[in-house]
Amino acid sequence: MSETATPIETPPPSTVRTWREALRLYLQPASLRMVALGFAAGLPLLLVLGTLSFRLREAGIDRSTIGYLSWVGLAYGVKWMWAPLVDRMPIPWLTRQLGRRRSWLLSSQIVIAGGLVGMALNDPSQLLGPLVACALAVAVASATQDIALDAYRIESAEVNAQAALAASYQTGYRLAMIWAGAGVLWIAAWAQGEQTTGYAQAAWQVAYLVMAASMLPGMWMVLASPEPVPAPMTPARNLAEWVQGALIEPFADFWRRYRWQALQVLALIAVYRISDVVMGIMANPFYVDMGFTKTEVASVTKVYGVVMTLVGAFVGGVLSARWGVMRILMLGAVLSAVSNLLFVWLSGVGHDVSALVWVISADNLASGIASAAFIAYLSSLTNIQYSATQYALLSSMMLLLPKFLAGFSGDFVDAYGYASFFTATAWLGVPVLLLVALAARVHARQPS
């Protein structure tokens, strides 16, 4: 099936020689589009995980059931399984009108909005099954949107601009998480009125309908954006050829380009965020045990933390464009490990809001820098012909080992205390430094 493709704007030159050129990357139309598209990508996550668990608990659902329902979020971890379909399979009529990437983006956004409407209309205190089905639909569609959006971003600009696009994407993503986290609670509280406690289905219905409507800007941006020029693909003559091209070739291509060094690259991807992820599981229990109130934690993490993450993403994007992704990848790895030691200091200080502000600000600044460089690095590893499949695989595997280890974090804290735990998570970052140094010698092998 043919694809409509409006040529993307002329990308910036392959090298950035001045700070002015690095900063101008953020004013490129491709970067500005990523803010709105990143918002659409970040909105569903909390609505099917964090915010949903708050709603279910308020509705009287037991904690064990809520824990099992968190498996809905596994859709994000296995999205690579259907990424080849998003990469290769056209959507009848819609792909002909919008192109391969935009048709999948718009379709997934429509399913997300519809699923959120279903979650709004179903009362979990009366019948849980329909709401869970809608939540699963939102999660799968959201993961599909991530696949298509990552491919769209990678195909929209050259490698030197990828860090800026990643930072712009993160900006929209983080703003959406504020809206879907704190915003939905504010709306539900406002709709509930004077009855400030207890479960009110009508209030949550209003809140989730507003969230569904919040997907409209992302839909408009998809329709208003140009489609990247598609990589040429030879039509498959039979099912075997299609399986070879869509399922086998994306993975075989990666191994052909990197050979034995593919293991080295994959090892770096698997552990790069290990310090942050393992530490993050015990962050909220730590705040509670230190005597910080919910208001204090929410104010600091939702204001100072988010702002510093956005600043870090911006700084990481500029520095990566100016000095190269690998140097900033190393910087991000160092900062991520060192910032965990600040929590050791905070555990000795105790309940001090000012100290919490400084620690959260530094930790989120480091996280933003590391994330911008890491996303740009993952993007540089993909072959544009298989960008959706390869990026989905790489971005999925980066959380598997850290999430597994994080499951034992509570046992470690019980046995050795918070200070030892945070110190241990900092030491987990040391092997990352060696892997970054080794990976710097492996140049991204893009096909000509």
Side-chain angles (χ1 to χ4, degrees):
M1 182 177 290
S2 63
E3 296 182 356
T4 301
T6 305
I8 283 288
E9 295 87 349
T10 302
S14 57
T15 57
V16 175
R17 295 181 295 274
T18 66
W19 288 109
R20 182 185 296 273
E21 290 180 2
L23 291 171
R24 286 181 62 185
L25 292 175
Y26 285 94
L27 299 179
Q28 294 286 333
S31 294
L32 299 177
R33 281 193 294 270
M34 278 300 139
V35 177
L37 295 175
F39 185 91
L43 187 73
L45 181 63
L46 290 181
L47 297 176
V48 298
L49 294 174
T51 305
L52 178 60
S53 65
F54 188 103
R55 178 186 179 185
L56 293 176
R57 185 58 182 158
E58 196 176 61
I61 307 300
D62 64 89
R63 284 184 289 268
S64 295
T65 300
I66 294 173
Y68 294 136
L69 293 180
S70 69
W71 288 342
V72 167
L74 290 175
Y76 295 94
V78 296
K79 60 185 179 181
W80 55 272
M81 296 177 66
W82 64 90
L85 300 179
V86 178
D87 222 1
R88 307 278 292 201
M89 181 176 288
I91 299 175
W93 184 80
L94 198 58
T95 297
R96 188 166 59 250
Q97 302 299 317
L98 299 178
R100 185 169 64 224
R101 302 309 182 198
R102 291 193 300 156
S103 62
W104 277 100
L105 279 173
L106 184 62
S107 299
S108 59
Q109 289 172 347
I110 291 173
V111 175
I112 291 170
L116 292 176
V117 170
M119 294 178 70
L121 299 180
N122 285 283
D123 185 352
S125 66
Q126 300 298 320
L127 188 61
L128 188 57
L131 184 139
V132 173
C134 291
L136 182 60
V138 172
V140 173
S142 176
T144 303
Q145 179 184 220
D146 290 348
I147 296 169
L149 184 53
D150 287 331
Y152 182 91
R153 172 177 53 79
I154 293 169
E155 295 170 2
S156 295
E158 292 185 350
V159 172
N160 76 295
Q162 288 298 327
L165 295 190
S168 299
Y169 170 86
Q170 284 191 72
T171 299
Y173 198 96
R174 295 287 179 173
L175 292 175
M177 294 191 74
I178 296 175
W179 183 233
V184 72
L185 295 177
W186 292 333
I187 295 171
W190 169 79
Q192 196 164 350
E194 296 181 358
Q195 182 190 349
T196 56
T197 59
Y199 180 73
Q201 165 62 15
W204 283 104
Q205 181 173 308
V206 170
Y208 265 75
L209 287 176
V210 171
M211 293 299 114
S214 298
M215 289 297 299
L216 292 175
M219 297 180 190
W220 175 84
M221 183 55 67
V222 170
L223 295 174
S225 299
E227 172 78 3
V229 177
M233 293 184 182
T234 303
R237 291 174 294 183
N238 51 54
L239 179 60
E241 278 195 6
W242 188 90
V243 170
Q244 174 69 27
L247 302 180
I248 299 176
E249 190 59 28
F251 305 108
D253 166 80
F254 185 84
W255 288 100
R256 280 198 301 268
R257 285 188 290 128
Y258 292 96
R259 300 184 184 278
W260 66 269
Q261 291 174 322
L263 296 176
Q264 181 179 304
V265 171
L266 294 176
L268 172 60
I269 294 171
V271 302
Y272 185 74
R273 302 311 307 273
I274 195 168
S275 293
D276 283 344
V277 174
V278 174
M279 188 279 290
I281 298 298
M282 282 293 108
N284 283 327
F286 170 69
Y287 302 146
V288 174
D289 293 340
M290 289 295 103
F292 293 104
T293 66
K294 290 189 289 292
T295 301
E296 290 170 341
V297 173
S299 298
V300 173
T301 58
K302 296 296 184 183
V303 179
Y304 295 101
V306 171
V307 169
M308 294 308 293
T309 299
L310 297 178
V311 171
F314 176 82
V315 171
V318 172
L319 294 180
S320 295
R322 185 69 179 89
W323 289 336
V325 169
M326 297 309 300
R327 291 180 180 177
I328 309 308
L329 200 67
M330 177 65 81
L331 174 64
V334 172
L335 293 178
S336 294
V338 172
S339 64
N340 285 10
L341 297 177
L342 296 177
F343 287 87
V344 179
W345 171 75
L346 184 60
S347 67
V349 172
H351 183 270
D352 186 325
V353 176
S354 297
L356 179 65
V357 169
W358 284 108
V359 171
I360 291 296
S361 298
D363 184 60
N364 282 267
L365 177 67
S367 178
I369 292 174
S371 294
F374 190 51
I375 293 173
Y377 175 66
L378 293 184
S379 302
S380 72
L381 297 175
T382 63
N383 179 342
I384 194 171
Q385 191 169 0
Y386 312 109
S387 53
T389 301
Q390 291 182 350
Y391 192 91
L393 176 65
L394 298 177
S395 61
S396 295
M397 68 173 297
M398 69 181 180
L399 293 177
L400 294 179
L401 178 61
K403 284 290 186 183
F404 174 76
L405 290 180
F408 303 101
S409 58
D411 294 333
F412 192 101
V413 172
D414 290 340
Y416 302 104
Y418 280 112
S420 297
F421 170 71
F422 293 133
T423 302
T425 60
W427 279 107
L428 286 175
V430 173
V432 178
L433 305 181
L434 175 61
L435 288 171
V436 173
L438 293 175
R441 303 180 180 181
V442 183
H443 300 288
R445 293 177 173 82
Q446 295 287 3
S448 59

